[in-house]
Amino acid sequence: MAQRVQEEDEQMMSTDDLIQAQIKLYHHCFAFIKSTALWAAIDLRIADVIHRNGGAATLSDLALNVGLHPTKLSHLRRLMRVLAVTGVFAVEDRNGEAMYTLTRVSRLLLNSDGEGTHALSQMARVIANPLAVISHFSIHEWFTTEKATTMTPFEVAHGCTRWEMIANDAKDGSVFNAGMVEDSRVAMDIILKESCGIFQGISSLIDVGGGHGAAAAAIATAFPNIKCTVLDLPHIVAEAPATHSNIQFVGGDLFKFIPAADVVLLKCLLHCWQDDDCVKILRLCKEAIPARDAGGKVIIIDVVVGIGSEEIVPKEMQLLFDVFMMYVDGIEREEYEWKKIFLEAGFSDYKITPVLGARSIIEVYP
């Protein structure tokens, strides 16, 4: 019966419908090219070249400054054509020659050595990392094979967890930590401009899983009266730079103990874990903070699926981010899913403030 209905549907499809369906299917299949082209642009430092060239560069300018092999000029043109049509760079015709300029997107690729406040090139490497991408090709096995269902897709593909890879591969760990620093700088810059009130009236804060302390440094700079502590694994805090005199780094396990503070900050941390583990973390957070009337709360910076910008790109990014997080068996939650773990962990109330486009601030109260 189902086969007959499918055959009838296909017979009713017009030639134009068939063409459009084929185009859309192939467009989905080629989506990974956006990531690989972006990765190449970061490796070649194309944004930096354009910036140093006065904000505009011809193909010859780019070729001269990225160390292009003479036989690859036409290939660079094809790469730039994709990067322009997808909005990473802009292009205009100047006297018959293509001139490439920066867009809001490619400006985030400037200073890819991490010096710029709004540099995100290393974070782009974290998201488009081949290690993560390859893991997603294990989803079928992860869904259907008994042995694989007890592992993460990353483990299925690579034989170790994502966190073990970061700990044992110095280069991979360096890129990951640099990416987290970049993302924290941008996120905190926005939060401190748009929602700085969430840090008013507190004297101490602990950033759990805070890596190299970029978020804590931003808070300590904006609020010198707040004593900030960063808790992360010993091998991570051991490499943290001395960014601020008002920040203390503590090596430890967030599943075992969280030091006391007025506020616990969890930035992009709970989306790495399933509900049971999140409840364990949140219960320890609740033990670490005072009562609500004494200023105690947990601040979460993460996606709340369905809340935020109504534009199609942020909404789609939330759902793509959710499936992306499957590679570590993580999840981006809807509001009712957040509420469930908050209540189970013993919290009484929460407030969501969508100020980060696809991500939100969640204040959770004991």
Side-chain angles (χ1 to χ4, degrees):
M1 178 65 178
Q3 183 177 356
R4 186 168 69 250
V5 171
Q6 180 180 350
E7 290 173 352
E8 291 174 355
D9 287 344
E10 290 176 353
Q11 290 171 3
M12 292 174 62
M13 186 183 294
S14 69
T15 300
D16 186 60
D17 288 339
L18 177 59
I19 291 171
Q20 293 305 314
Q22 182 190 42
I23 289 173
K24 190 166 186 177
L25 174 64
Y26 288 2
H27 186 262
H28 279 296
C29 294
F30 285 127
F32 75 98
I33 295 298
K34 293 182 181 181
S35 295
T36 56
L38 180 62
W39 188 286
I42 294 170
D43 278 346
L44 292 167
R45 300 177 72 98
I46 290 173
D48 292 324
V49 171
I50 293 173
H51 181 64
R52 290 196 303 266
N53 207 57
T58 65
L59 202 63
S60 298
D61 294 329
L62 295 177
L64 181 65
N65 286 277
V66 302
L68 193 76
H69 191 277
T71 63
K72 295 295 186 284
L73 184 63
S74 65
H75 300 77
L76 178 62
R77 179 186 66 82
R78 291 156 60 189
L79 177 68
M80 293 304 299
R81 185 168 58 187
V82 166
L83 290 165
V85 79
T86 54
V88 177
F89 297 101
V91 61
E92 56 185 82
D93 186 293
R94 293 189 187 177
N95 301 318
E97 187 171 23
M99 186 70 69
Y100 299 96
T101 57
L102 300 175
T103 64
R104 290 181 297 178
V105 176
S106 47
R107 288 187 183 281
L108 298 178
L109 304 180
L110 289 172
N111 300 318
S112 53
D113 53 8
E115 294 179 358
T117 302
H118 294 155
L120 284 172
S121 60
Q122 298 305 310
M123 188 60 193
R125 289 183 189 274
V126 172
I127 297 171
N129 192 318
L131 292 170
V133 174
I134 290 170
S135 302
H136 284 83
F137 288 95
S138 300
I139 285 180
H140 172 263
E141 183 180 352
W142 186 55
F143 276 7
T144 60
T145 306
E146 184 66 31
K147 180 181 178 181
T149 57
T150 62
M151 307 164 69
T152 66
F154 193 93
E155 288 176 278
V156 175
H158 302 291
C160 65
T161 69
R162 184 70 185 100
W163 319 121
E164 289 168 343
M165 178 77 77
I166 290 169
N168 296 322
D169 185 325
K171 183 178 180 181
D172 180 51
S174 177
V175 171
F176 186 88
N177 290 322
M180 296 302 106
V181 167
E182 288 183 345
D183 186 69
S184 291
R185 285 175 177 166
V186 172
M188 294 311 302
D189 184 57
I190 296 168
I191 290 170
L192 291 171
K193 287 178 181 178
E194 303 295 331
S195 300
C196 66
I198 65 173
F199 300 112
Q200 297 286 357
I202 66 174
S203 60
S204 60
L205 175 146
I206 181 158
D207 184 1
V208 176
H212 287 179
I219 295 167
T221 299
F223 298 93
N225 60 303
I226 299 179
K227 179 174 176 54
C228 295
T229 302
V230 175
L231 173 70
D232 214 314
L233 295 172
H235 71 272
I236 293 177
V237 299
E239 297 177 353
T243 55
H244 204 286
S245 60
N246 204 29
I247 299 176
Q248 178 184 3
F249 286 88
V250 176
D253 185 341
L254 61 87
F255 285 103
K256 294 180 178 179
F257 175 72
I258 294 176
D262 291 340
V263 170
V264 175
L265 175 64
L266 304 173
K267 177 188 172 290
C268 296
L269 181 116
L270 295 181
H271 72 165
C272 296
W273 307 99
Q274 288 295 312
D275 288 2
D276 289 348
D277 285 328
C278 287
V279 170
K280 291 177 185 176
I281 295 168
L282 287 168
R283 283 175 176 164
L284 288 174
C285 291
K286 188 171 182 291
E287 292 175 5
I289 59 175
R292 180 174 183 174
D293 57 8
K297 63 180 176 181
V298 176
I299 297 175
I300 297 169
I301 301 172
D302 229 321
V303 171
V304 182
V305 175
I307 290 183
S309 173
E310 289 299 313
E311 296 180 9
I312 186 62
V313 171
K315 291 177 72 173
E316 183 177 315
M317 199 201 89
Q318 288 184 336
L319 302 181
L320 292 173
F321 205 170
D322 178 39
V323 174
F324 173 80
M325 290 307 298
M326 283 187 190
Y327 89 114
V328 292
D329 198 17
I331 178 175
E332 303 297 353
R333 294 173 170 86
E334 296 180 55
E335 182 177 355
Y336 80 92
E337 293 172 304
W338 281 114
K339 182 178 180 180
K340 174 179 175 292
I341 62 174
F342 295 156
L343 296 178
E344 192 173 339
F347 289 86
S348 63
D349 197 10
Y350 65 92
K351 175 186 176 183
I352 298 174
T353 307
V355 297
L356 291 167
R359 290 182 287 189
S360 296
I361 299 169
I362 314 173
E363 296 170 83
V364 191
Y365 304 101

